Amino acid sequence: MDTFKVPQISTGDILREQRRRHTELGRLADECMQRGDLVPDNLVNRMIAERLQDSDCGLGYVLDGFPRTLAQANWLDATLAEGKITLPVVAIQIQVSHDELLRRITGRRVCPRGHIYNVYTKPSTVFGICDLDGDPLEQRNDDSESVFEQRMKTFHEQTAPVIDHYCRLGRFCEVDGASPVTVVTEAIHFGLQRFRNESQVHGSI
Ligand code: AMP
């Protein structure tokens, strides 16, 4: 989040990094990810707790893909309250239809350095090769249609209650994700401004 000068912390990225490094957490996460299930709350919470200690988190952060369960949300709220961190915490949901999400996810290709393409909407110039560093592009092993359906089921069962939780607290912002990236970005900024009357912004997507 360049505009707010705060780091974007993606739990999925951290778990994939653990997998690349062949750690015990990475091995366990890989099993869950391949099934389209969530990694156990205690492991993900501990991972976030460690990351939030880093000095770049002092002015706030964007948590990408966290919290994904009510237990994670309750843990986050309690941890922030314990640390006497000034609110606002704002949960942002980028809303995309099932069919569009399926197209985005099955069309996604990534290079090992994290540059992201899409075979339908943002193809690389040379098929299968990253424009920026020439590395071969890969498909994430959880971006298949069958794992996608399980991920959606997991979302409806375990993540939808998180939305109700932040709605009830008046700290929820929904953005239409069908628009181009620049329009979605604007909408997120606009939504955050409403909550930005305090010095720290902690967002969650
Ligand atoms: P993502 O990169 O956000 O699409 O996440 C990929 C996968 O990582 C998910 O399908 C889960 O298996 C796992 N994961 C990411 N974030 C979380 C989280 N907050 N809690 C549990 N599992 C997670």
Side-chain angles (χ1 to χ4, degrees), residues 29-40:
D30 187 42
E31 285 173 18
C32 301
M33 285 159 130
Q34 284 198 44
R35 288 197 304 264
D37 295 337
L38 295 179
V39 175

Side-chain angles (χ1 to χ4, degrees), residues 10-13 15-16 29 32-33 36-41 44 64-69 72 108 140 142 151:
S10 155
T11 38
D13 282 351
L15 292 167
R16 280 183 289 277
C32 301
M33 285 159 130
D37 295 337
L38 295 179
V39 175
D41 291 328
V44 180
D64 175 357
F66 183 92
R68 255 168 151 117
T69 65
Q72 292 178 13
R108 175 162 56 190
R140 271 170 49 171
D142 58 344
R151 284 161 74 188

